[in-house]
Amino acid sequence: MERLFHYIDENKDLYIGWLQELCRIPSVAAQNRRMEEAANKVLHDLQVYTKASARLIETKGFPVVFGEIKGKTSRTLSFYNHYDVQPEDPVELWDVEPFAAEIVDGKLIARGAADNKGNLMARIAAVHAYQQVYGELPINIKFIVEGEEEIGSPNLGDFAENNKELLQADGCIWEFGYKNADGRQQISLGVKGMVYVELICKGANTDLHSANAAIIENPAWRLIWALESMKNKENQVLIPGFYDDVAELTQEDYQLTKQFIFSEEETKEKLGIQNFVNNLTGEALKRQLIFSPTCNICGFESGYTDEGAKTVLPSWAKVKLDFRLVPNQDPHKIVKQIREHLDHNGFADIEMKVYGLEYPARTAPDHPLVQSVVNAAEYVTKMEPTIFPMSPGTGPMYELCQKFGIPAVSVGVGNFESNNHAPNENIFIKDYIDGIKVIAKVIEEFAKQ
């Protein structure tokens, strides 16, 4: 691989330029900003840089970019990525313009640099470099690049059902990947599922003077009481049946948890916190992170929150919640349990809107794809990677992979402080170049399996 790695190093400025071009397109799906331009840019890059047979496949939302390159064998590896990004707000907290894709102190800073354009372009560059050095690829490669991941992939399930034959592969490299604080590459073997809902409580038909709080019920308090009934101070979800289907941990799960490294002190220092939930540490903390479902408040809105005082009794209140799910929880069943819990506890009047449902997904640690990625990461970084049995994050992995018997593994170019979904999102240039090499090595390794 040294000849190939030398080529990647010689052409790193070219590959950095490709990434900057894509990052300068503010493809914010939630706001429908320049999404068509981003889709066509990815289509162009696949067709021109990798010589892929590529096209846009229309969905009810933004199109999926699909590309395929034939190799020497029938063995197929697919790459799942997305070209949409989160909004850049709050803009005032960025050190540079969010879509300028500037390089500062060895970091490329831009919305989408880590999530997910850096990973997408590293894979395109890896295929390009491999073709330039060796000609034909040793295996078939497929690119599946959607435009709605950041809004819950609402149309990816239908896309997958309508294009099963296009998705068929022997393995899939999933969209994300990061490094520990010690520089060790993280490799994830799955994702948590999710239920994302909004609860809305309404009171009087107009905001009132707060003097009326003596006799008029405040919907903000009512919503707070509903939330209090759902989770206790020990972080336990109180919705009946919520934990019923949670899979018991196996000996292999315990062993994997012991092996993967979680940088506790570095994480606390970075976040400015003194301790984790319930003062957990060590193995218990890692098991909680990976294998425990959650109930999280994403945002709460009601009444007056601007500068100064306004004595008001609000007419409505709403909260956005996400529930991260673990095997074998069913998101549809969880939604039903939430509704039943609210109704049973006297909150039948609280409206619930469902915004996203994702199944949890996992890949067996002994699958050949896992070993291919582990070998590649260790070969490039000269450090033993750390294996996450399952990422605490969420994505449509089940809909695209496990549902069809396709194993999926995550590895990528992010770092410990990539600031995904936050100001100053970034990747190190060195990690980006190493990421290209890792994918090139994965292609070679998987061809041998």
Side-chain angles (χ1 to χ4, degrees):
M1 299 295 289
E2 295 312 310
R3 182 180 162 207
L4 176 57
F5 288 0
H6 181 67
Y7 181 89
I8 293 170
D9 287 332
E10 281 191 326
N11 289 274
K12 66 178 183 179
D13 290 341
L14 174 68
Y15 296 144
I16 293 167
W18 290 358
L19 175 56
Q20 288 176 305
E21 289 176 4
L22 188 58
C23 285
R24 286 168 181 155
I25 302 174
S27 48
V28 182
Q31 301 167 349
N32 192 11
R33 290 165 59 193
R34 295 174 65 176
M35 294 299 293
E36 182 180 353
E37 180 182 352
N40 281 300
K41 171 61 175 169
V42 175
L43 178 66
H44 165 274
D45 292 354
L46 289 177
Q47 291 174 333
V48 174
Y49 301 152
T50 73
K51 309 303 180 185
S53 173
R55 65 186 188 275
L56 300 182
I57 300 178
E58 297 300 324
T59 71
K60 293 179 181 178
F62 302 117
V64 172
V65 188
F66 178 81
E68 185 171 12
I69 307 109
K70 294 294 184 181
K72 294 179 181 179
T73 68
S74 60
R75 194 165 185 77
T76 301
L77 180 66
S78 64
F79 297 122
Y80 164 75
N81 291 93
H82 58 93
Y83 59 86
D84 64 317
V85 302
Q86 284 281 327
E88 65 273 33
D89 306 296
V91 177
E92 65 274 11
L93 296 183
W94 286 76
D95 295 334
V96 300
E97 198 280 319
F99 294 103
E102 292 184 28
I103 297 174
V104 180
D105 296 330
K107 289 182 179 180
L108 190 153
I109 302 174
R111 171 60 83 234
D115 185 16
N116 173 250
K117 294 175 178 179
N119 292 316
L120 169 58
M121 196 52 68
R123 295 162 191 189
I124 290 175
V127 172
H128 172 269
Y130 204 107
Q131 291 171 323
Q132 296 302 306
V133 174
Y134 299 122
E136 191 175 12
L137 296 170
I139 54 176
N140 302 321
I141 295 292
K142 293 181 179 180
F143 283 88
I144 303 153
V145 190
E146 70 155 318
E148 299 180 316
E149 195 275 343
E150 298 293 6
I151 56 173
S153 302
N155 296 296
L156 194 66
D158 287 343
F159 163 81
E161 284 294 327
N162 295 332
N163 296 278
K164 296 177 184 178
E165 71 288 347
L166 294 183
L167 302 183
Q168 287 308 307
D170 298 290
C172 176
I173 301 298
W174 201 247
E175 49 116 353
F176 64 83
Y178 305 92
K179 284 185 176 179
N180 279 4
D182 63 1
R184 200 176 299 269
Q185 187 77 58
Q186 295 177 2
I187 295 172
S188 299
L189 308 187
V191 295
K192 286 185 177 180
M194 185 169 68
V195 167
Y196 195 107
V197 299
E198 181 179 70
L199 303 182
I200 304 165
C201 185
K202 297 178 181 178
N205 59 10
T206 184
D207 286 357
L208 298 169
H209 192 292
S210 64
N212 290 288
I215 60 170
I216 305 296
E217 188 168 48
N218 187 319
W221 276 116
R222 185 161 175 75
L223 190 53
I224 289 170
W225 295 328
L227 293 171
E228 189 176 34
S229 77
M230 299 170 73
K231 183 178 174 181
N232 64 21
K233 293 179 180 179
E234 285 70 46
N235 214 40
Q236 295 171 317
V237 180
L238 303 177
I239 299 168
F242 183 79
Y243 294 103
D244 286 358
D245 297 326
V246 172
E248 291 188 13
L249 299 190
T250 65
Q251 287 300 320
E252 188 174 46
D253 291 332
Y254 281 104
Q255 188 61 36
L256 283 171
T257 306
K258 286 181 180 180
Q259 290 176 354
F260 93 78
I261 299 169
F262 180 73
S263 307
E264 293 184 34
E265 295 307 316
E266 291 90 342
T267 300
K268 287 190 290 187
E269 182 179 353
K270 173 181 179 289
L271 300 179
I273 60 176
Q274 298 299 314
N275 54 268
F276 296 105
V277 169
N278 294 332
N279 292 310
L280 289 174
T281 61
E283 299 304 304
L285 175 65
K286 292 192 287 184
R287 288 195 297 271
Q288 179 85 355
L289 174 66
I290 300 300
F291 294 113
S292 290
T294 68
C295 170
N296 174 64
I297 295 175
C298 299
F300 192 104
E301 185 179 357
S302 185
Y304 181 77
T305 59
D306 289 337
E307 292 293 326
K310 181 182 181 182
T311 52
V312 62
L313 192 163
S315 61
W316 58 268
K318 64 181 179 180
V319 64
K320 293 183 185 291
L321 304 171
D322 70 44
F323 296 79
R324 302 284 170 161
L325 310 181
V326 300
N328 297 316
Q329 289 180 298
D330 182 331
H332 298 276
K333 185 175 180 180
I334 297 299
V335 167
K336 183 179 178 182
Q337 290 171 342
I338 297 169
R339 183 71 267 172
E340 290 175 348
H341 171 81
L342 291 171
D343 294 349
H344 180 74
N345 286 276
F347 300 108
D349 59 301
I350 292 181
E351 180 186 353
M352 182 169 71
K353 293 181 179 180
V354 180
Y355 285 104
L357 301 176
E358 299 280 5
Y359 282 91
R362 285 192 69 185
T363 291
D366 60 353
H367 192 277
L369 178 61
V370 178
Q371 194 57 53
S372 297
V373 177
V374 169
N375 291 347
E378 187 167 1
Y379 185 89
V380 173
T381 66
K382 311 304 180 188
M383 297 177 70
E384 183 180 354
T386 183
I387 300 176
F388 277 59
M390 187 171 60
S391 167
T394 298
M397 184 183 284
Y398 174 83
E399 292 289 347
L400 210 62
C401 295
Q402 281 83 354
K403 185 177 182 180
F404 303 108
I406 302 170
V409 177
S410 299
V411 66
V413 303
N415 63 72
F416 179 64
E417 296 181 303
S418 275
N419 292 341
N420 287 23
H421 296 203
N424 298 314
E425 181 178 347
N426 70 88
I427 59 172
F428 285 104
I429 293 298
K430 183 183 185 307
D431 289 343
Y432 174 59
I433 301 304
D434 281 352
I436 297 172
K437 295 176 181 178
V438 168
I439 294 300
K441 182 64 174 173
V442 167
I443 292 171
E444 182 191 69
E445 286 285 328
F446 197 52
K448 296 176 182 177
Q449 297 287 348

